[in-house]
Amino acid sequence: MSHLSPHPPKVAVVWRGDAQARAEARPETSRFAAIFTALERHGLAGEPAVWVKGLADVVRAQLMAVDAVLVWVNPVTEDTGEGRDALDTVLREVAAAGILVSAHPDVINRIGTKEVLYRTRGMPWGTDTYLYGSHAALATEFPRRVAAGPRVLKRSRGNGGIGVWKVERAMGPDVLVQEARDRRLRTVPLHAFLTERTSDFSAGGTLVDQPFQVRHLEGMVRCYVSGTRVAGFGAQHVTALASPEHGRAPPRLYSGPDDGRFQRLRDLLERDWIPEMANLLRLEPDDLPVIWDADFLLGRKNAAGEDSYVLCEINASSVYPIPDEAHDALAATTLRRLAETRARWSAGHA
């Protein structure tokens, strides 16, 4: 950062595209137009930085010339299967140069994969969750767990329901399997389904195993968070693992952080759960992304008749769209972190 510069701090907004998309990218015509507008309202100069894998050196040079980098790139693209390894290498280099990167790839690895469900299983939002680090462990341990009731298996990385299966015992050696991506139901021998999962462990992949939540049809609450503060909510009925007669879920409905329906959940997150998670994962509060979200299903009611909440995933790599109120929240968090960085730099050079 140019700490003595009179110009507004420059913030690169990164998303995935091709060379043509990069050449034609404009703040006002991109799908992130509202984010660019919010950055401007907070005195920040946003600029598009479309990630093109074959242009890594060009993108690196652009990012090295800004003060902050905000990233919206999914871990895997459904059409090409392209991952984020090359981009993450660039982002680590940029962060090592003292430039704010959100979300940093190392932070995504801690909170933005399904393994966070296992690492935080002892928290109030947790449940009896297991992590399989090898196919041998899955083949040995999963049969007895699914025999006790329906389970949900999740690949450590994925989006859009890819790599999420509900599994429950059927007749004899068979299980009924439903994949969240297409909701297709099929009955197969358990050993055959487990054999299919062999490829999920390639390149260091893992599978997370949770009990199926019987209240899932009552809806899911997505909590949008900027740093450590809730910035809004998204409420949605979920049918991805429901029987086909329930139809497709309606669109998610967004609301601001003061939505009265979710104030108890907001309080639990801000006061207790986010600090506990950060401590468990050895993260500082300012390590958390300027925008991320946590999805909750309803668990058992407590003795007072209040709902409990079960975490089903955290998204940290490509959280968009977001509630209207969250645009200014993420811009304010970015500005605050840049100001604190500038203050530390000034103090160190006084």
Side-chain angles (χ1 to χ4, degrees):
M1 180 191 299
S2 179
H3 298 276
L4 302 180
S5 172
H7 302 295
K10 293 193 293 184
V11 179
V13 176
V14 181
W15 68 92
R16 196 196 304 268
D18 56 22
Q20 181 178 351
R22 178 173 173 80
E24 298 175 352
R26 301 290 183 273
E28 64 274 12
T29 58
S30 80
R31 72 185 186 100
F32 301 104
I35 287 176
F36 284 108
T37 301
L39 292 173
E40 185 178 7
R41 280 197 297 267
H42 286 76
L44 300 168
E47 63 178 65
V50 175
W51 166 253
V52 183
K53 185 176 181 180
L55 298 178
D57 290 342
V58 175
V59 178
R60 180 188 295 105
Q62 179 185 6
L63 301 187
M64 285 292 188
V66 302
D67 301 294
V69 179
L70 308 183
V71 186
W72 279 271
V73 177
N74 273 326
V76 178
T77 56
E78 186 175 351
D79 52 348
T80 66
E82 180 186 340
R84 278 188 39 148
D85 290 350
L87 172 61
D88 287 346
T89 296
V90 171
L91 294 176
R92 289 188 174 97
E93 294 172 1
V94 171
I99 297 165
L100 171 65
V101 173
S102 181
H104 192 289
D106 296 343
V107 175
I108 292 175
N109 286 341
R110 296 191 195 185
I111 73 169
T113 74
K114 303 299 192 301
E115 289 186 16
V116 73
L117 303 172
Y118 176 75
R119 294 170 183 154
T120 63
R121 66 194 184 282
M123 289 179 53
W125 68 28
T127 185
D128 59 327
T129 303
Y130 302 92
L131 177 68
Y132 304 115
S134 69
H135 186 264
L138 174 71
T140 300
E141 300 170 24
F142 185 73
R144 61 181 173 82
R145 289 177 181 140
V146 76
R151 307 292 298 184
V152 178
L153 281 177
K154 303 176 180 181
R155 288 183 189 144
S156 56
R157 288 188 180 275
N159 55 278
I162 300 171
V164 176
W165 301 269
K166 176 188 176 185
V167 187
E168 57 184 316
R169 291 308 301 251
M171 296 293 292
D174 292 342
V175 289
L176 182 64
V177 176
Q178 183 176 31
E179 184 170 5
R181 180 184 180 185
D182 59 12
R183 301 181 63 200
R184 179 170 58 97
L185 289 166
R186 59 195 177 104
T187 301
V188 295
L190 176 57
H191 71 83
F193 172 73
L194 295 178
T195 298
E196 293 173 5
R197 305 277 62 77
T198 303
S199 61
D200 296 324
F201 297 92
S202 61
T206 60
L207 286 174
V208 172
D209 172 9
Q210 290 184 297
F212 176 70
Q213 297 300 313
V214 297
R215 297 182 66 191
H216 73 291
L217 286 176
E218 296 180 48
M220 182 182 75
V221 181
R222 173 166 289 183
C223 300
Y224 295 89
V225 185
S226 183
T228 61
R229 309 297 295 179
V230 172
F233 299 96
Q236 184 178 21
H237 289 288
V238 289
T239 59
L241 294 177
S243 52
E245 64 265 22
H246 288 285
R248 285 291 179 182
R252 183 178 295 113
L253 299 178
Y254 298 96
S255 59
D258 297 324
D259 189 325
R261 296 172 296 171
F262 307 123
Q263 290 309 294
R264 177 171 168 267
L265 178 56
R266 176 185 179 180
D267 185 56
L268 288 168
L269 272 170
E270 293 183 343
R271 184 192 64 206
D272 299 328
W273 295 350
I274 292 174
E276 184 177 355
M277 177 193 73
N279 182 61
L280 273 174
L281 302 180
R282 299 183 180 179
L283 293 170
E284 295 298 325
D286 277 354
D287 291 334
L288 296 173
V290 299
I291 191 69
W292 56 284
D293 70 57
D295 288 344
F296 292 96
L297 294 173
L298 295 175
R300 297 178 182 274
K301 291 183 180 292
N302 62 22
E306 298 172 318
D307 289 320
S308 64
Y309 297 95
V310 177
L311 181 69
C312 58
E313 75 175 339
I314 289 176
N315 300 293
S317 57
S318 188
V319 179
Y320 209 77
I322 56 180
D324 291 341
E325 295 84 350
H327 296 94
D328 279 307
L330 75 87
T333 299
T334 302
L335 178 62
R336 176 183 60 79
R337 291 183 180 177
L338 285 171
E340 291 173 352
T341 299
R342 178 173 293 186
R344 287 193 297 269
W345 185 92
S346 299
H349 291 78

